[in-house]
Amino acid sequence: MIPGADDAITRDGKALILAYDHGLEHGPVDFEPVPETTDPATVFDVATHDAVTATAVQKGVAEAYYPSYEDDVSLLAKLNGTSNLWRGEPDSAVNWSVDYAAELGADAIGFTLYGGSNNEVEMAEEFRQAQEKARAHDMGVVMWSYPRGQGLRNASSPDSIAYSARLGLELGADIAKVKYPGSRDAMEWAVDSAANTKVVMSGGSKTSDEAFLSTVRSAMDAGASGLAVGRNVFQREHPEAILDGLEAIIFEDASVAEALATNDALESDDR
């Protein structure tokens, strides 16, 4: 990692990345709770919220929609990704080049690495090529670092999550995106393991407002630098409201109660 390389996708050293690569990774099923989000323009509109420091999308979405939002949204080019139709050992196709991402105006690149997969060596070599090319373009680098593969006994254990955070540092990521390992202590270990590489929590499946904000608060208390979130924002009827709450916690060090009170419109079907 290089100090300051992620400045274009962070605010005061913290990040709230709105991820919208789900159409490839999960399929249209993720848009069913709020059908309007099938249209990328709907989510790009959400991404103009002040809390969002970058928006992560795949090539086709960036080509078609980012030019209309380049003045209001920082682009994080998610370079690799594979459909949920794939049933082989975890792997992720490289779908566009760093040079092309730079041509489209990307501020940073994102790249998935499945540590523990039989394809880890190939993926690490692909990451190396992308990471070094990103440096040539003065772009930040975010690693989606997910331990996954048939040889792993427990991909969600604190040991595995801390190891995945460390891979971000060792391989040159400015930010490592990891799953929440279940407790503040375990998250703190992951953050410590990454040393100077920032660690952000993956948003995961949609939960209630209070449960989600509580997990984010726990991650921040453990030293995380923010959040990379998709479904827990765009699957809500009022995504701007939950972003108000996230902004309060991540950038203003608010409590969960204070975050819940930031906007009277903050609501969830689960509450």
Side-chain angles (χ1 to χ4, degrees), residues 140-251:
V141 179
V142 182
M143 178 187 286
W144 272 238
S145 192
Y146 295 155
R148 193 173 295 174
Q150 63 183 18
L152 284 173
R153 293 184 178 181
N154 189 348
S156 61
S157 72
D159 287 351
S160 296
I161 301 301
Y163 205 153
S164 65
R166 184 70 185 198
L167 289 177
L169 170 70
E170 298 286 346
L171 298 181
D174 303 300
I175 299 175
K177 175 190 177 190
V178 303
K179 305 285 188 181
Y180 183 70
S183 71
R184 174 178 170 176
D185 287 346
M187 190 68 180
E188 186 172 355
W189 186 18
V191 171
D192 289 345
S193 297
N196 284 341
T197 287
K198 296 181 177 71
V199 174
V200 298
M201 186 190 86
S202 174
S205 300
K206 183 190 173 190
T207 59
S208 71
D209 295 338
E210 186 170 4
F212 177 48
L213 293 174
S214 293
T215 302
V216 176
R217 179 69 269 170
S218 176
M220 297 302 294
D221 289 341
S225 295
L227 177 69
V229 57
R231 288 166 288 176
N232 263 298
V233 170
F234 68 70
Q235 285 185 347
R236 283 175 159 77
E237 293 291 342
H238 301 285
E240 296 83 2
I242 196 70
L243 285 171
D244 287 343
L246 290 171
E247 183 172 32
I249 288 177
I250 294 172
F251 299 105

Side-chain angles (χ1 to χ4, degrees), residues 53-92:
T53 60
T55 302
V57 296
Q58 286 280 344
K59 176 174 66 175
V61 173
E63 285 181 328
Y65 293 89
Y66 181 64
S68 297
Y69 292 88
E70 60 184 353
D71 292 335
D72 301 304
V73 173
S74 295
L75 177 62
L76 200 169
K78 185 62 168 59
L79 296 188
N80 64 342
T82 303
S83 81
N84 205 29
L85 302 171
W86 171 252
R87 287 292 182 266
E89 180 70 0
D91 202 352
S92 202

Side-chain angles (χ1 to χ4, degrees), residues 96-159:
W96 47 328
S97 69
V98 176
D99 286 340
Y100 189 50
E103 183 179 330
L104 288 181
D107 299 286
I109 64 162
F111 202 98
T112 295
L113 179 73
Y114 293 129
S117 167
N118 291 339
N119 299 306
E120 178 188 328
V121 172
E122 176 187 351
M123 296 185 77
E125 291 173 347
E126 292 167 345
F127 176 81
R128 182 257 305 166
Q129 294 172 356
Q131 190 263 3
E132 292 180 0
K133 179 63 75 169
R135 296 312 189 203
H137 287 285
D138 295 322
M139 298 165 71
V141 179
V142 182
M143 178 187 286
W144 272 238
S145 192
Y146 295 155
R148 193 173 295 174
Q150 63 183 18
L152 284 173
R153 293 184 178 181
N154 189 348
S156 61
S157 72
D159 287 351

Side-chain angles (χ1 to χ4, degrees), residues 15-32:
L16 201 172
I17 297 166
L18 182 60
Y20 186 64
D21 56 340
H22 299 67
L24 174 62
E25 297 283 354
H26 301 166
V29 66
D30 274 5
F31 310 135
E32 289 180 357

